[in-house]
Amino acid sequence: NAGVTQTPKFRVLKTGQSMTLLCAQDMNHEYMYWYRQDPGMGLRLIHYSVGEGTTAKGEVPDGYNVSRLKKQNFLLGLESAAPSQTSVYFCASSYGPLTLVEKTQYFGPGTRLLVL
Amino acid sequence: SQQGEEDPQALSIQEGENATMNCSYKTSINNLQWYRQNSGRGLVHLILIRSNEREKHSGRLRVTLDTSKKSSSLLITASRAADTASYFCATERGGATNKLIFGTGTLLAVQP
């Protein structure tokens, strides 16, 4: 099993450009999450999904959109990139709320995004 | 806003010594988890402690939770150079979403 994978690993954008980050998981997890990590800030939740076809806002959703058309994929879109969106983006997934074991989140390796 | 803050921000120890990291949080929680992040990599889950538990062990890891003080500590015993990483606490406040709020992390450097 590959676990959680993210594409691309690194990207440079100019202000105003758009892009989509792809997250894929092969663990049949219901829940998926997008975080951003900035120096000294820990991880902050951007958007999340509790199942195929559902999405919800996290702590810092402005400037981002997401889609979960297939259970295994969670896409994060930047419609008009800004320098403030320079960050490392992590995707994570989990089974769901049924048991404590299933509350563990599994993380991808991250995407480094630089917006000039 | 961040739910948790960790202390210290950075810690440097020698191999074989114990490392203790602390986490404080602001609101009531369902459970608290600790994750490790090696440089340039994703986070890896280490241990979960429920709100009604006070202490939990896993190998060389010992986690305590004091809900009255809204704080937790992670102890790594007999540290190794491979333990060098950032350590984050994360709290779950409940509901059916498993949403986690992460602390700011402690950077641990274990000198060989």
Side-chain angles (χ1 to χ4, degrees):
Chain A
N1 287 352
V4 180
T5 58
Q6 293 182 231
T7 309
K9 289 185 170 54
F10 178 70
R11 184 77 183 267
V12 179
L13 287 180
K14 294 182 180 177
T15 297
Q17 287 185 319
S18 63
M19 78 163 294
T20 301
L21 283 67
L22 171 64
C23 175
Q25 52 93 7
D26 61 3
M27 296 173 281
N28 202 33
H29 285 172
E30 286 294 331
Y31 293 2
M32 296 187 75
Y33 314 83
W34 275 108
Y35 295 92
R36 60 177 288 173
Q37 184 176 33
D38 302 293
M41 296 288 291
L43 276 78
R44 292 181 292 169
L45 183 64
I46 304 171
H47 285 281
Y48 63 99
S49 167
V50 298
E52 182 179 317
T54 73
T55 62
K57 294 180 180 179
E59 291 177 79
V60 288
D62 293 343
Y64 305 95
N65 56 74
V66 288
S67 65
R68 183 104 181 265
L69 298 179
K70 293 183 178 180
K71 185 177 184 179
Q72 64 268 33
N73 295 338
F74 195 27
L75 278 64
L76 178 71
L78 286 73
E79 289 186 348
S80 179
S84 60
Q85 294 178 304
T86 292
S87 188
V88 182
Y89 292 86
F90 288 98
C91 176
S93 67
S94 69
Y95 284 104
L98 298 180
T99 71
L100 281 173
V101 171
E102 295 175 347
K103 289 182 179 290
T104 298
Q105 291 190 14
Y106 297 79
F107 283 79
T111 294
R112 294 183 178 275
L113 176 64
L114 174 62
V115 183
L116 301 175
Chain B
S1 61
Q2 297 297 125
Q3 162 78 312
E5 285 201 9
E6 279 149 272
D7 168 55
Q9 289 188 338
L11 179 61
S12 181
I13 59 174
Q14 297 294 124
E15 235 177 357
E17 294 179 338
N18 295 343
T20 299
M21 289 157 265
N22 303 297
C23 168
S24 61
Y25 56 91
K26 298 174 184 173
T27 63
S28 61
I29 61 172
N30 262 9
N31 64 73
L32 185 144
Q33 304 179 36
W34 286 89
Y35 286 79
R36 183 186 75 209
Q37 183 181 33
N38 289 86
S39 180
R41 310 289 282 274
L43 279 73
V44 174
H45 180 261
L46 294 176
I47 194 166
L48 180 153
I49 186 165
R50 306 181 203 195
S51 60
N52 62 356
E53 295 177 313
R54 291 296 166 257
E55 187 171 313
K56 201 160 182 182
H57 296 254
S58 177
R60 294 184 296 113
L61 305 180
R62 172 177 168 254
V63 170
T64 62
L65 179 64
D66 186 337
T67 52
S68 66
K69 295 181 179 178
K70 292 187 170 57
S71 67
S72 173
S73 68
L74 171 67
L75 169 67
I76 304 174
T77 60
S79 63
R80 305 165 181 168
D83 295 327
T84 294
S86 291
Y87 292 82
F88 295 89
C89 67
T91 53
E92 188 205 353
R93 283 186 268 181
T97 60
N98 289 5
K99 285 195 296 182
L100 294 177
I101 307 294
F102 283 84
T104 50
T106 292
L107 177 59
L108 173 65
V110 182
Q111 311 296 333

